[in-house]
Amino acid sequence: MQPQTRLTLAGQQTDSSYNSIVPPIYQCATFRFEDVGLTKGYDYSRSGNPTRRALEEVLADLEGGAGAVATTSGMAAVSTVLAMFDHGIHVICAHDCYGGTERLLSLLARQGKLEVSFVDLRDLQAAEAAIRPNTRIIWVETPSNPLLRIVDLDALCRFAKAHDLLVVVDNTFLSPLQQRPMDFGADIVVYSTTKYLNGHSDVIGGAVIVRTEELNEQLQFVANAHGTIAGPFDCWLVLRGLKTLPVRIRQHEHNAMAVARFLAQHPNVEQVFYPGLPSHEGHEIAARQQKGFGGMVSFRVKGGLEAVHHILRSTRVFTLAESLGGVESLIEHPATMSHASMRPEQREAAGITDNLIRLSVGIEATDDLIADLEQALAYEPATVAA
């Protein structure tokens, strides 16, 4: 069956007692044993829960992986992956990663628990130069947050395998419907399920999907040991959101393309970042490895920080808020919001300038989104800067 059909049917086989169409919420901490040493597959919800398992099976199936774990947040997913590896490993990470990922990796490096190098992973020569004897992981986002840079996953995974390294892909900006990193050889895929997979801004969650049974055994052990697993109700909310993911994604992308084209011709916009535009430097790679361009758009404005503040205060449909991937459109300033914890020199190296704005384009009427941005951008750069 096609993914759209599989998602519509997701979780329907969870309830063997009453055959409910909607998967039940097993909101329980513990399960009764059938006899000494004998259960029906579950004993304690940290180790396993039917509602969580339903979500994990759907995600593993969509990604083509051997197993998955649903976690309490996207950052819990990142932490769980890092906990799968021994003390003192070296991680090569995309230089333009999410601010929370950079914050955690830098913290662990300061604590002496791992080593990290931040590298532009579009440049495989730079990646090769960063390899050390203890390098174990290449961590990549494509599209990246917030500049939507595209990394050639096929080339990166072949490079990693040649150097006996594992590839971890944060696929949060897309979804398994738009990009399946394991098809190109990625070993681990990470999500903040808070975003597109849930899609309704009413849950905090994450997920880790692994390609092999060996990695799945490690993942399940670590998630149970660290207790980073998601609760039943949160998993149920993500399952519910997944059922409408295909139709939501289509509208997100339709609106994002319209917004990107509008911004690209606006006189107060300096530069637009959207892989769906032919002018985007990663457009051809994105078109080859993705089944869509997503709902995220970033742009630089003319007029400096004063212009940024004017726009952020002026929108009526776009809400000033962090996060992304919900049905509602959001606008944010990476330098002071989503990436504020990133060291200034790291932001500068990644190209996250003060005049950069990030949009999570929702599913509202396209014309309303364009009109909202048009009125917000109706300023004279010199006047605003003064």
Side-chain angles (χ1 to χ4, degrees):
M1 291 183 288
Q2 296 297 311
Q4 182 170 342
T5 305
R6 300 209 303 274
L7 284 173
T8 303
L9 301 176
Q12 282 194 10
Q13 304 304 316
T14 306
D15 179 20
S16 59
S17 298
Y18 302 105
N19 296 333
S20 61
I21 294 297
V22 176
I25 306 171
Y26 288 87
Q27 193 68 39
C28 56
T30 191
F31 298 84
R32 177 172 54 85
F33 276 60
E34 294 284 279
D35 197 352
V36 176
L38 179 63
T39 71
K40 286 191 173 182
Y42 300 95
D43 51 29
Y44 188 64
S45 276
R46 174 168 48 77
S47 304
N49 177 282
T51 310
R52 190 171 85 241
R53 179 56 58 193
L55 172 60
E56 292 166 344
E57 288 177 351
V58 170
L59 293 176
D61 175 56
L62 287 174
E63 290 288 347
V69 162
T71 62
T72 53
S73 68
M75 286 310 302
V78 175
S79 299
T80 302
V81 171
L82 294 175
M84 293 170 63
F85 298 89
D86 292 338
H87 179 95
I89 68 162
H90 175 236
V91 179
I92 298 174
C93 182
H95 74 313
D96 53 350
C97 64
Y98 167 53
T101 302
E102 187 273 341
R103 176 175 54 205
L104 178 60
L105 287 170
S106 295
L107 171 64
L108 295 176
R110 289 196 302 272
Q111 293 175 339
K113 296 177 181 177
L114 55 73
E115 299 171 12
V116 60
S117 298
F118 294 100
V119 174
D120 185 345
L121 292 177
R122 295 170 300 174
D123 182 354
L124 293 183
Q125 289 185 333
E128 186 164 26
I131 294 176
R132 303 174 186 175
N134 58 334
T135 306
R136 296 292 178 270
I137 306 172
I138 298 181
W139 194 291
V140 61
E141 294 177 12
T142 180
S144 67
N145 181 2
L147 287 167
L148 299 143
R149 294 188 176 111
I150 303 298
V151 173
D152 187 330
L153 285 176
D154 181 60
L156 182 70
C157 290
R158 284 189 283 107
F159 165 84
K161 296 302 177 285
H163 292 84
D164 197 25
L165 304 176
L166 295 179
V167 174
V168 182
V169 179
D170 186 333
N171 203 36
T172 296
F173 266 30
L174 294 175
S175 76
L177 301 185
Q178 295 176 301
Q179 180 171 268
R180 298 211 320 171
M182 289 182 188
D183 289 348
F184 302 95
D187 301 283
I188 302 173
V189 178
V190 171
Y191 284 100
S192 169
T193 58
T194 307
K195 312 306 193 293
Y196 288 105
L197 300 187
N198 170 259
H200 293 80
S201 302
D202 55 9
V203 68
I204 298 292
V208 182
I209 304 98
V210 292
R211 186 168 57 88
T212 67
E213 288 294 346
E214 181 182 1
L215 285 172
N216 189 42
E217 288 181 11
Q218 296 177 42
L219 172 64
Q220 300 298 331
F221 178 85
V222 166
N224 185 41
H226 281 251
T228 51
I229 50 84
F233 184 57
D234 289 348
C235 291
W236 184 87
L237 286 171
V238 178
L239 267 172
R240 183 202 60 176
L242 280 171
K243 290 177 179 290
T244 61
L245 177 63
V247 292
R248 286 189 287 108
I249 284 292
R250 286 197 292 270
Q251 187 64 22
H252 282 296
E253 185 168 333
H254 171 80
N255 283 347
M257 182 67 80
V259 164
R261 287 171 174 163
F262 164 77
L263 292 171
Q265 54 79 42
H266 199 283
N268 284 345
V269 173
E270 188 177 285
Q271 188 175 9
V272 178
F273 303 92
Y274 184 65
L277 294 178
S279 59
H280 189 283
E281 62 179 0
H283 174 74
E284 291 184 5
I285 298 173
R288 184 173 70 243
Q289 71 186 19
Q290 300 171 194
K291 294 183 179 179
F293 298 109
M296 300 300 296
V297 179
S298 293
F299 63 104
R300 291 194 175 106
V301 299
K302 298 177 182 177
L305 195 56
E306 293 82 1
V308 169
H309 289 170
H310 171 80
I311 294 167
L312 297 178
R313 291 166 177 156
S314 299
T315 57
R316 301 292 181 266
V317 179
F318 284 87
T319 300
L320 179 60
E322 292 185 346
S323 198
L324 59 106
V327 294
E328 62 287 312
S329 291
L330 304 179
I331 185 170
E332 70 111 12
H333 184 223
T336 60
M337 295 172 70
S338 61
H339 291 68
S341 66
M342 185 178 279
R343 291 168 290 120
E345 61 272 21
Q346 181 74 13
R347 284 202 302 272
E348 182 180 358
I352 303 172
T353 56
D354 285 346
N355 67 336
L356 180 71
I357 291 175
R358 190 189 76 181
L359 302 176
S360 173
V361 184
I363 67 170
E364 302 92 343
T366 311
D367 290 346
D368 290 337
L369 296 173
I370 299 297
D372 191 37
L373 291 171
E374 188 169 30
Q375 62 85 24
L377 283 161
Y379 64 88
E380 292 292 335
T383 303
V384 172

